[in-house]
Amino acid sequence: MKSIIRSFLKRKFSSTIIIISLFVAFVSTFLIAGFVINEYSVDSYHSKKENIYRLLSDDPWEEGHTFPHITKAAPEFIKNSFPEVVDYVQWNKNGYEKLEANNTTFFKDFKIYETGASFFDIFSFKLIEGEQSAVFLDRNNIVLSEETALRIFGSSNVLGEPITIKHRNETKNYLVSGVVETPKNRSHLYFDMLTSIEGKEFRGCNAYLLLRENTSAADFEKKLQNHKAEIPFFRNDTNVNYYLENLMSIYMSKELKTKITIFVIIAVLILFVAFFNYFNLISTQIFERENEVKIKRIIGGSYANIVRSLAAEFSILILGSTLLGFLGIKLFLPVFNAINQSALVFADFMQPKVLGYIFLVVIFVFILSYLATFLYVKKQSRSGASKLKKATSFPVVSTFQFAVSTVLIICTLFIIKQIKYVHSKDIGLNRDIVEMRLPPLNNDKSLVLKELLLENPSIDKVSICSASPVREGAMVLYSFEENGEKKEYSPLYFSGDHEYINTLGISLLDGQDFYPSATQNSKKCLVNQAMIQYLNLKDPIGKTLPGSKNEIVGIVSDFHWNSLENKIPPSMIAYSNSGSNVLVKINPELYQAGLKHVQESWNKTIPDFPFDYWTIGDWFNKKHAKYDLMVRFITFFCFIAIFLSIIGLIARSIITINYKRKEIGIRKVNGARISEVLFMLNKKFMVWVAIAYFTAVPIAWFAMNKWLENFAYKTKLSWWIFALSGLLALGIALLTVSWQSWKAASRNPVEALRYE
């Protein structure tokens, strides 16, 4: 141990770089691994998970898509008709405006769902209060999560406690019949409260089937397709295909898989950048101990003993970095959660799967170092110092590191450019419009609120509507005949009063807007440009919209209702002078005063409900929040990769300069200027940085080109980003190497030659 400590102190610079590189890489990859494994563990604790499937069907409104919204009658029919199904349960969100319990009023604070009595038979949620067979015996029973019980009542022993829920014009009184223990792992079925499902026969909701053991899901799915005409659907004249989605696949959406893939790639790249630093430096340490190795060989030391001795030192470095990595997880976990918007805790990293991953990474690094040590010791004995010096220069290593950093720089800049494009693009709507949703209990007060709002000069326009386009839209199905052929299409349907398009800032291109009088707007509609193009309508003003009874009175410009990933669909706007949403256009010069008036008007009109609002821009940006998160995540780890590359380059440049210190001294004695010495020392590094850049560009171009395919509306792959990235990479390398080179070039040559 003393010899190991002496060796560390003698080579403290390279040992410190090794520890820092491995520490940063271990913390980064361990955090990402913990997140990925945690995501894949969602719903894994359900004991019957292999046999639980969510029922999907073709989406009748959007060709080529499936959706989980199934009629209530469908799963019951399937259970009664097919012996492969043991049981089923339904799952539906239960909307509400106000909840009263324990002398406290709550507004939309909880996630309440409706389900059936078989819920606890199919899923492994454990009741800590109440009997499983009795929690839904009565329609007025309600089940709480443990967290919700503690939040409302301060205790989980709350059986029989009353809860009142108000929704629309209906008030329901419930009694608590059970409390569910907080599960150790997450589930996509997250809830605060459960009530018994009820409603009309063809009401839609999610449905889960429990299949018998050893039932082939693929074969049963084919069986459902063969009997699709018999299975109830929303429309009796429509047959759709049914599909089975395993419980473990529900949470793992395509979007999440893409995110995880990006995270894993980043983790692997960081690990390899750090490992190359480590690999480069231990090879250098072995070279520096050439005489020590030769002496040990002369006095009879075997390759195995020498390798074991050196490997022991490197193992201490690896072990120390690993232990520091666990400390780093605890320290940097809040930062990681903030960047990733996750809620991981340190205990999540103590799971067997995460610890298994950490063990494999450490063993992988250890085995590679052992092999590298053995090969270099053997090579050193045979090849001599000059050949080994050449072998340990490892230009490929530095090239790889800077190629990785350059790829990440280019990708980060392009993602930022696309997100900036998203936030600045003209979406055909005024992003500053304020939107409020009235509680269903107060829908009749929308006109009163509108009149009160318009009393203040800071308010330019007010519109009453079903909702703004970016908040929600309905899809309608129209069918018509053309040249004897039946055709169907599903446009988006919006509705609002005569101020709707003016308030939102939608341009009227042709025809006229709605009249102020409701009677004049009966069966009238506006359509967007996409609708005209889709139906190939000629002179549409005054004609009936195909398949409907609505007369087209105006054509409006296209506007975005969804994210920029999707093309603007055919859309129509129908007239309606009632609705639950109020849109407010505030004078930009009086915005704060106007917003204050909006709040005061709300409090006067609807004092029983707290004021809540959002803007059109808020809703639109929310649709792209996942990309904002990606920018933060990739930018953060891009800096980590660059940091690792820099410290690797510093180490490499110092080692190279040490090898050339006598050459530098001789050149300076013979009259070489500092600039000439700098050029001599830097030129090779710059060549490899250039090679790294030209290697990175096609990789980054391909990656960004594929990523931008996700967007129907996107920025361009600008040449200046590639150029800027190259300059950044070159600048980083120059600053890193030149500082060390300048110190070496400006040193007194006598220091290098005094012993010659």
Side-chain angles (χ1 to χ4, degrees), residues 527-550:
V527 297
N528 68 346
Q529 295 165 284
M531 178 80 85
I532 301 299
Q533 294 169 4
Y534 180 79
L535 296 175
N536 195 26
L537 297 176
K538 306 295 183 183
D539 300 321
I541 303 299
K543 295 180 180 178
T544 301
L545 183 66
S548 77
K549 297 180 180 179
N550 295 302

Side-chain angles (χ1 to χ4, degrees), residues 279-475:
F279 191 67
N280 220 351
L281 290 168
I282 64 167
S283 65
T284 303
Q285 285 196 13
I286 294 169
F287 168 70
E288 290 174 347
R289 298 166 77 167
E290 176 188 7
N291 293 333
E292 177 187 337
V293 171
K294 286 182 177 179
I295 291 170
K296 286 183 178 179
R297 286 290 293 146
I298 290 170
I299 62 176
S302 65
Y303 286 129
N305 288 333
I306 296 171
V307 169
R308 275 197 295 268
S309 174
L310 293 172
E313 295 181 18
F314 301 137
S315 298
I316 296 296
L317 292 175
I318 296 170
L319 181 61
S321 302
T322 305
L323 295 176
L324 287 174
F326 279 100
L327 178 62
I329 290 173
K330 202 168 185 67
L331 290 174
F332 293 105
L333 187 55
V335 178
F336 181 84
N337 282 334
I339 293 170
N340 192 39
Q341 292 186 354
S342 52
L344 295 173
V345 295
F346 186 73
D348 292 327
F349 296 87
M350 297 298 106
Q351 297 180 51
K353 287 184 178 179
V354 181
L355 291 175
Y357 164 81
I358 293 173
F359 176 77
L360 288 175
V361 169
V362 173
I363 290 297
F364 171 75
V365 174
F366 174 77
I367 291 173
L368 285 182
S369 7
Y370 187 88
L371 289 174
T373 305
F374 177 78
L375 291 173
Y376 273 94
V377 168
K378 198 168 183 180
K379 188 179 184 71
Q380 194 179 63
S381 308
R382 294 178 178 177
S383 305
S386 60
K387 291 183 179 179
L388 186 62
K389 183 189 292 189
K390 186 177 180 181
T392 56
S393 62
F394 283 100
V396 175
V397 172
S398 298
T399 303
F400 175 83
Q401 290 176 323
F402 263 83
V404 169
S405 299
T406 306
V407 167
L408 289 175
I409 290 171
I410 293 172
C411 292
T412 301
L413 291 176
F414 269 120
I415 292 173
I416 291 173
K417 187 169 183 276
Q418 175 64 16
I419 297 305
K420 186 176 180 181
Y421 174 79
V422 166
H423 292 320
S424 61
K425 185 183 185 301
D426 180 8
I427 61 173
L429 304 169
N430 186 337
R431 291 175 182 254
D432 296 325
I433 299 302
V434 170
E435 182 170 8
M436 301 172 287
R437 168 157 286 187
L438 279 68
L441 298 170
N442 301 93
N443 275 353
D444 58 339
K445 296 183 179 179
S446 58
L447 287 173
V448 176
L449 179 60
K450 179 177 180 178
E451 291 176 2
L452 193 58
L453 287 167
L454 290 171
E455 290 178 0
N456 193 293
S458 63
I459 306 301
D460 286 345
K461 294 183 184 299
V462 179
S463 173
I464 298 171
C465 61
S466 58
S468 68
V470 292
R471 192 185 195 285
E472 62 185 41
M475 294 190 78

Side-chain angles (χ1 to χ4, degrees), residues 16-32:
T16 302
I17 295 294
I18 287 173
I19 290 174
I20 291 173
S21 295
L22 291 179
F23 166 73
V24 172
F26 283 167
V27 172
S28 302
T29 55
F30 294 169
L31 285 170
I32 293 174

